[in-house]
Amino acid sequence: MKNKTNTFSQLNRKQKLQYIMDYYKIHIIVTAAIICILFSIIRTVHKNHDIDLYAAYVNIAADDSLLESIDDATGLNISNYTNLLITEDPASDNLEYAYASSMKLMSAISAGKLDIIVADSYGIEMANNAGYLTNPKDYLESKNPALANKLENYYIEDESCVPYAIDLSYSNLFVQAGFSEHLYVGIVASEEVAPEVSDYLLSIN
């Protein structure tokens, strides 16, 4: 051991670095890998904690351009579920994918990780029939009465005349996106709907 110490002390800087790399390379690589993994985990957890709103886009093609425009307009950190499909057409070639999408929606709602659903008429009606949605008018009247009044003509009602969604034709962002069919937004029912839902609905105007 003493001879090794003496030998090391006699090496120049470059030789010392090479000596360390030769003898401790594995330890250095493993330590660096652990640090990278820990950093990645911490970053992911931190990012998840910073999410303001969870949105699902069902039966529509929500591209990056639209999602970025919404992020910019709202100023919110939004986690999006995209490319979801809901259909019960037995002739559809995508029944398995539709089933997976339904399970994803259900899991997100159960975990408290979904605030709004944006969909075509079929998707939003299915979400309402599944009991996923709350009355958007009641919510807005409590959070933003002015916006609730402004959207008076855009509420979509069920057979009992209870609002369950909002027609997105009021939104410049969605109109400019050029969708060929009407789109709707529904607020996911929960014990306490996130206040950011109101911010979203106001900002996309």
Side-chain angles (χ1 to χ4, degrees):
M1 182 69 181
K2 185 175 180 181
N3 290 335
K4 286 186 178 180
T5 303
N6 291 335
T7 301
F8 183 78
S9 64
Q10 294 171 0
L11 300 176
N12 59 39
R13 178 180 294 181
K14 185 176 180 180
Q15 291 172 326
K16 288 180 179 178
L17 289 175
Q18 187 61 49
Y19 181 91
I20 292 172
M21 286 300 298
D22 290 341
Y23 282 87
Y24 300 101
K25 179 166 59 178
I26 299 299
H27 298 80
I28 293 172
I29 292 174
V30 170
T31 302
I34 292 174
I35 292 173
C36 289
I37 292 171
L38 289 175
F39 179 77
S40 177
I41 293 173
I42 292 171
R43 184 179 179 184
T44 300
V45 171
H46 180 71
K47 183 178 180 181
N48 287 338
H49 284 173
D50 286 344
I51 291 175
D52 300 311
L53 191 75
Y54 294 89
Y57 293 85
V58 179
N59 293 356
I60 66 172
D63 59 22
D64 291 341
S65 177
L66 173 62
L67 298 179
E68 289 171 4
S69 296
I70 293 173
D71 287 346
D72 292 340
T74 62
L76 300 173
N77 184 12
I78 303 174
S79 178
N80 298 300
Y81 302 92
T82 58
N83 301 318
L84 299 178
L85 173 69
I86 291 182
T87 181
E88 290 185 349
D89 180 3
S92 174
D93 294 329
N94 300 305
L95 281 179
E96 291 185 2
Y97 186 82
Y99 177 78
S101 294
S102 296
M103 290 298 99
K104 190 170 185 178
L105 274 179
M106 188 183 301
S107 297
I109 292 172
S110 298
K113 300 295 185 182
L114 188 57
D115 299 299
I116 60 172
I117 296 174
V118 178
D120 63 357
S121 58
Y122 183 83
I124 206 70
E125 185 176 348
M126 290 295 293
N128 183 55
N129 291 339
Y132 293 159
L133 306 180
T134 192
N135 187 323
K137 185 176 181 179
D138 286 350
Y139 166 76
L140 287 176
E141 285 179 343
S142 67
K143 297 296 182 181
N144 191 329
L147 181 58
N149 185 61
K150 184 176 182 179
L151 297 180
E152 183 65 38
N153 296 324
Y154 295 94
Y155 296 120
I156 306 301
E157 300 177 341
D158 60 20
E159 294 179 354
S160 301
C161 298
V162 176
Y164 65 89
I166 301 170
D167 188 332
L168 281 171
S169 60
Y170 86 90
S171 166
N172 291 325
L173 280 178
F174 281 92
V175 170
Q176 291 170 5
F179 290 99
S180 59
E181 56 187 322
H182 280 292
L183 299 181
Y184 307 88
V185 58
I187 301 173
V188 174
S190 67
E191 292 183 1
E192 185 176 355
V193 177
E196 288 80 7
V197 169
S198 176
D199 297 335
Y200 177 98
L201 296 174
L202 177 64
S203 300
I204 62 174
N205 186 10

